[in-house]
């Protein structure tokens, strides 16, 4: 598993014309991404999306925007044959990695002040960083799977 990317592939058997299905799929994915507050563009059979973090005057909203971990990726649909297609998606996890390391450092520093043992503080920080990363990965996986499965 790559720490900076989550990718997956799914093959589907279709009963309709593959060109019509691909066009419909792209439109449905773009609509789902629009509802997900992401900008998207279609290049051939690839949909690239990017979710921008907006700065607002409401400080609570700024904190919520910064916590969005599904920020950038792509969804590609390929025709295998007349009745089968392959859907490939990839999401960048650099924001999640930064967030999990930051949380690990913060918890590690707090543990260091509480216990005054550096080794224990480092282990606690590493543990929380790892836990945060894998929880974030499961959230990213469920969100992108939800986006792709919305196209059925």
């Amino acid at each position: 598993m790559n720490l900076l990317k989550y990718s997956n592939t799914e093959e589907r058997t279709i009963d309709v014309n593959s060109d019509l299905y691909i066009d419909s799929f792209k439109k449905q994915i773009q609509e789902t991404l629009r509802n997900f507050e992401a900008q998207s563009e279609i290049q051939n059979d690839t949909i690239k999306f990017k979710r921008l973090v907006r700065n607002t005057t409401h400080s609570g909203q700024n904190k919520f925007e910064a916590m969005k971990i599904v920020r950038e990726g792509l969804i590609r649909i390929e025709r295998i044959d007349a009745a089968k297609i392959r859907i490939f998606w990839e999401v960048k996890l650099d924001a999640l990695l930064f967030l999990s390391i930051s949380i690990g450092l913060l918890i590690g520093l707090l543990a260091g002040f509480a216990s005054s043992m550096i080794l224990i503080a480092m282990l606690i920080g590493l543990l929380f960083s790892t836990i945060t990363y894998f929880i974030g990965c499961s959230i990213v996986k469920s969100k992108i799977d939800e986006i792709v499965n919305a196209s059925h």
Side-chain angles (χ1 to χ4, degrees):
M1 180 177 164
N2 189 347
L3 288 177
L4 295 176
K5 280 192 246 178
Y6 165 70
S7 60
N8 202 356
T9 304
E10 176 183 320
E11 290 187 4
R12 293 184 186 171
T13 304
I14 55 174
D15 299 331
V16 295
N17 182 349
S18 60
D19 291 332
L20 293 175
Y21 184 85
I22 289 172
D23 288 340
S24 172
F25 176 85
K26 288 190 281 191
K27 288 177 185 173
Q28 289 174 344
I29 289 292
Q30 253 191 327
E31 182 63 32
T32 306
L33 287 169
R34 194 172 300 117
N35 293 338
F36 192 61
E37 298 176 353
Q39 296 176 345
S40 63
E41 69 175 278
I42 297 176
Q43 297 174 347
N44 297 329
D45 289 335
T46 303
I47 302 168
K48 293 184 178 184
F49 65 91
K50 190 169 195 169
R51 211 167 158 193
L52 301 174
V53 177
R54 298 175 302 219
N55 290 323
T56 63
T57 57
H58 306 292
S59 62
Q61 185 67 24
N62 283 341
K63 293 175 186 173
F64 183 71
E65 285 285 322
M67 297 296 279
K68 292 181 178 178
I69 54 178
V70 179
R71 292 197 184 169
E72 188 175 351
L74 62 89
I75 301 170
R76 182 178 308 120
I77 183 167
E78 302 167 343
R79 183 178 314 115
I80 297 173
D81 58 31
K84 206 170 205 181
I85 59 166
R86 178 181 299 126
I87 302 167
F88 169 80
W89 59 94
E90 179 178 281
V91 180
K92 293 183 180 179
L93 299 177
D94 49 353
L96 173 62
L97 188 62
F98 175 76
L99 187 64
S100 64
I101 289 172
S102 299
I103 289 173
L105 285 174
L106 180 66
I107 298 293
L109 283 174
L110 291 174
F113 289 133
S115 72
S116 72
M117 293 190 66
I118 294 177
L119 183 60
I120 291 175
M122 287 174 50
L123 289 174
I124 290 173
L126 183 62
L127 177 70
F128 272 90
S129 182
T130 305
I131 289 170
T132 304
Y133 181 79
F134 285 110
I135 289 172
C137 280
S138 68
I139 292 170
V140 167
K141 181 184 178 320
S142 68
K143 288 287 184 190
I144 196 71
D145 290 347
E146 177 184 322
I147 290 171
V148 171
N149 289 330
S151 66
H152 281 280

